[in-house]
DNA sequence: CCTCGTTGTGTGTACGTATTCATGGAACGG
DNA sequence: CCGTTCCATGAATACGTACACACAACGAGG
């Protein structure tokens, strides 16, 4: 390995001068700078990251935690996060899967392996998060928020999104509406549900308890739940799913029973990931500006890394209903009118 | 930040002893060990990663490069890689997107930010890779290989996979077969095509040049290509796609023109990612053992990090045809018989 | 009782960088 | 021509850890 000291010797200067050239310091003559740069190129010099990190107390690396990278929502989020970090010259350490990863990520920040963390899948009652916040570590919550946490948070207006769906379904005359919930803890689940229920109630449409079913955020789980709903004697005419992935599961559940979407049942999702626009699903869904939210989260985090004294900021992005073929083809499902 | 020296003071021992406890060294009395551990817990001590990395010349981090994380194949690969790295106590830095990421990753290895690299999307003519190999840096190629590269490689037997598809289609009487190729450079593309063509030729089935079309590894690009094929006066009766993602695009392209799969046209993919088994696609495809390959790649890389003198190893995993509804429903497409 | 090996611990150092402080010379004003 | 300012550069140091080496205490074997 080539060190700055060796480069210095090669260029006939001191190690300090090499370091100055590396930092782009102004206190170096043009002549010297050229000699040093030539020496660096000739020797194939690369500064040693660990040594630099030790001296500067900065790793140049940011950690990102996702719950399930095979849920296609997260790759889209990660792509944008990754791009923003690249642009800022930061590296990205990725943690996947719920279990020990959260703790592991917070250990990493304690060890200085990362300068800050983006949590995309935080849930209530995370002790390690509390601890990190008490130590004033730079942390941003993206996608899922946490009311009680005093830290930067970037979320979608999930309550508003839920309301949009309620309004849309009620406005099209649906009366037997099912809600395919996600897990209990994530704020996204809770807020989407709250907005949905609120607005339905305001519009005088009942949400039958027996048509409210819970599924994991997975295709398979949603598919099963959907089959359960459609097997009823009084199946729903529309199903609002907690996110797009579960909506795909619902569509496939319907398909597996020979039901057609939207002729037999409307299906709606949330997120508007790319796959939602594929012909096979053509899914009506609530769009959240994924890339923009990711960029914002990175921006906030990098600011906070530079200045930990900033007071916590919350950015809530608007949601928008995107109507597609999973609801649009029939103005009102026949059975919804018949009943 | 708490240092080992402060812990030492708290425990009434020297810094060296704290370090020894940290390393699990045997040369520490039970009594001392307990005192030190208590002090570490009390002070909330975390060893400083950069300092440790500087001393040990190990970052405890591995880099992984993927071409496009929104291609659902890669999250599945990454999940397995990530899991294997977790189990080995290694962290994962992720690079996404083709452009500068390859170079950036190889810079990282030069700086000691990562101990080794997994490339999933290498292509012919990568200068930085050549350089890294000359410097004897630990590198493993996963998924895509490179004939010329003297390094560990973990691939699927893509030639055999291509042959399986050829045999299957020829065996079911298809005569107008289209091939929806991927990009030119990736070894996966080339090998799948080679096996496919070879076996078709052996079986005396022609692959019409006008039915061989090129698409990017994206849904949209494949969808367009498929529409082009189906718009012909003499459309194919079966389409073999370079991977599952493009097969989904092909299915959706057919759907968008009112064609039915498999009644009007058979569609086959490659990879057998999870989505291939979803009802909407129900895709016949060639399975490669993704998770097993990922585990193997990590294993080889960690071995090589420990011993760079190992001679390059190549592991080729078998492929297997998985027949599903995108081909199976009709034994032989009607039009294939008519012509 | 005197070696000698073993065990537990402390002292000192090196890893490679960024930065502070010191220094010598050039530029400049009077 | 001298004193002062400014600039380019070098010497020295600290970051926190792991480890080589030294050493004291101790028991065993002669």
């Amino acid at each position: 390995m080539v060190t700055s000291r060796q480069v210095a010797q090669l260029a006939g200067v001191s190690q300090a001068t090499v370091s100055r050239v590396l930092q782009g310091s102004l206190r170096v003559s043009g002549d010297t700078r050229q000699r040093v740069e030539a020496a660096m190129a000739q020797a194939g010099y690369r500064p040693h990251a660990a040594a630099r990190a030790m001296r500067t107390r900065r790793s140049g690396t940011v950690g990102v935690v996702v719950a399930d990278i095979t849920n296609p929502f997260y790759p889209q989020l990660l792509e944008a996060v990754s791009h923003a970090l690249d642009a800022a010259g930061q590296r990205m350490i990725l943690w996947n899967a719920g279990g020990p990863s959260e703790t592991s990520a917070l250990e990493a920040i304690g060890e200085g392996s990362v300068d800050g963390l983006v949590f995309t899948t935080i849930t209530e009652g995370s002790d390690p998060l509390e601890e990190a916040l008490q130590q004033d570590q730079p942390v941003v919550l993206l996608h899922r928020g946490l009311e009680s946490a005093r830290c930067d948070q970037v979320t979608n207006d999930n309550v508003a999104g839920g309301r949009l769906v309620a309004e849309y379904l009620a406005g099209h005359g649906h009366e037997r509406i099912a809600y395919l919930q996600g897990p209990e803890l994530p704020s996204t689940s809770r807020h989407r549900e709250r907005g949905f229920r609120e607005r339905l109630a305001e519009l005088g449409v009942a949400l039958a308890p027996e048509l409210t079913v819970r599924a994991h955020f997975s295709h398979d789980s949603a598919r099963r739940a959907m089959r359960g709903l459609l097997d009823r004697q009084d199946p729903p005419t529309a199903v609002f799913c907690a996110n797009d992935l579960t909506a795909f599961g619902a569509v496939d559940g319907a398909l597996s029973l020979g039901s057609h979407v939207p002729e037999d049942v409307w299906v709606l999702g949330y997120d508007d990931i790319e796959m939602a626009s594929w012909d096979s699903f053509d899914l009506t869904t609530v769009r959240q500006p994924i890339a923009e939210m990711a960029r914002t989260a990175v921006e906030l985090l990098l600011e906070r890394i530079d200045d930990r004294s900033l007071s916590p900021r919350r950015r809530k992005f608007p949601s928008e209903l995107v109507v597609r073929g999973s609801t649009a083809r029939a103005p009102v499902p026949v059975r919804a009118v018949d009943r």
Side-chain angles (χ1 to χ4, degrees), chain A:
Chain A
M1 134 156 259
V2 184
T3 70
S4 59
R5 193 153 260 120
Q6 292 171 317
V7 172
Q9 193 167 12
L10 191 60
V13 298
S14 72
Q15 180 269 332
T17 298
V18 175
S19 181
R20 272 187 277 259
V21 170
L22 224 51
Q23 304 306 312
S25 158
L26 296 175
R27 293 260 180 282
V28 180
S29 74
D31 178 52
T32 307
R33 181 182 304 274
Q34 276 192 332
R35 278 218 317 287
V36 170
E37 277 166 355
M40 293 199 300
Q42 187 192 330
Y45 171 69
R46 300 260 82 209
H48 190 59
R52 170 173 285 182
M54 167 135 91
R55 190 61 170 81
T56 61
R57 324 290 295 164
R58 280 286 167 60
S59 64
T61 305
V62 163
V64 181
V65 184
V66 301
D68 177 11
I69 197 181
T70 65
N71 173 345
F73 172 80
Y74 291 108
Q76 255 184 265
L77 197 63
L78 279 179
E79 182 177 53
V81 167
S82 161
H83 193 263
L85 287 174
D86 279 354
Q90 300 287 304
R91 305 232 157 92
M92 177 174 85
I93 293 190
L94 180 65
W95 280 273
N96 181 52
S101 63
E102 197 178 287
T103 308
S104 168
L106 288 158
E107 279 174 11
I109 208 176
E111 298 171 1
S113 297
V114 297
D115 299 331
L117 286 173
V118 177
F119 283 96
T120 67
T121 45
I122 200 72
T123 53
E124 211 76 55
S126 165
D127 290 341
L129 174 65
E130 275 309 317
E131 196 186 318
L133 291 179
Q134 278 189 349
Q135 291 172 25
D136 227 25
Q137 303 282 21
V139 169
V140 172
L141 307 187
L142 170 60
H143 184 229
R144 294 190 195 164
L146 209 51
E147 286 301 328
S148 58
R150 277 188 49 82
C151 65
D152 297 330
Q153 307 196 17
V154 179
T155 57
N156 179 241
D157 192 342
N158 290 295
V159 173
R163 295 177 66 92
L164 285 175
V165 173
E167 196 142 340
Y168 175 69
L169 289 179
H172 283 79
H174 285 274
E175 289 169 354
R176 284 198 63 74
I177 299 175
Y179 181 52
L180 208 163
Q181 320 176 271
E184 203 170 351
L185 287 177
S187 67
T188 46
S189 284
R190 294 201 320 274
H191 292 169
R192 288 167 193 182
E193 175 168 1
R194 185 195 307 161
F196 185 56
R197 285 185 187 279
E198 263 177 24
R199 190 64 186 138
L200 279 185
E202 287 170 20
L203 296 169
V205 178
L207 188 59
E210 70 274 17
L211 293 185
T212 299
V213 295
R214 201 173 281 287
H216 303 298
F217 282 144
S218 80
H219 179 273
D220 189 51
S221 172
R223 181 176 182 276
R224 257 200 308 267
M226 182 66 163
R227 289 168 59 98
L229 285 171
L230 295 181
D231 266 344
R232 301 180 59 87
Q233 292 200 334
D234 50 356
T237 61
V239 181
F240 174 38
C241 304
N243 66 12
D244 284 351
L245 179 61
T246 51
F248 301 150
V251 168
D252 281 338
L255 202 61
S256 73
L257 293 175
S259 289
H260 294 109
V261 175
E263 292 82 359
D264 298 322
V265 59
W266 288 21
V267 174
L268 299 91
Y270 202 115
D271 289 341
D272 194 29
I273 62 179
E274 273 176 38
M275 285 175 54
S277 68
W278 290 8
D279 303 79
S280 289
F281 300 113
D282 201 20
L283 187 71
T284 294
T285 185
V286 179
R287 172 177 300 162
Q288 49 172 327
I290 300 178
E292 199 180 341
M293 287 167 58
R295 278 197 300 274
T296 303
V298 168
E299 193 181 309
L300 293 185
L301 182 61
L302 296 182
E303 281 177 22
R304 178 161 300 280
I305 288 172
D306 275 340
D307 179 5
R308 302 193 177 196
S309 70
L310 292 167
S311 59
R313 295 156 295 178
R314 300 203 177 180
R315 298 285 160 79
K316 194 182 283 184
F317 283 75
S319 43
E320 176 193 354
L321 186 71
V322 179
V323 175
R324 296 204 185 91
S326 72
T327 61
R329 280 183 203 135
V332 177
V334 177
R335 291 185 303 184
V337 171
D338 284 352
R339 281 171 208 281

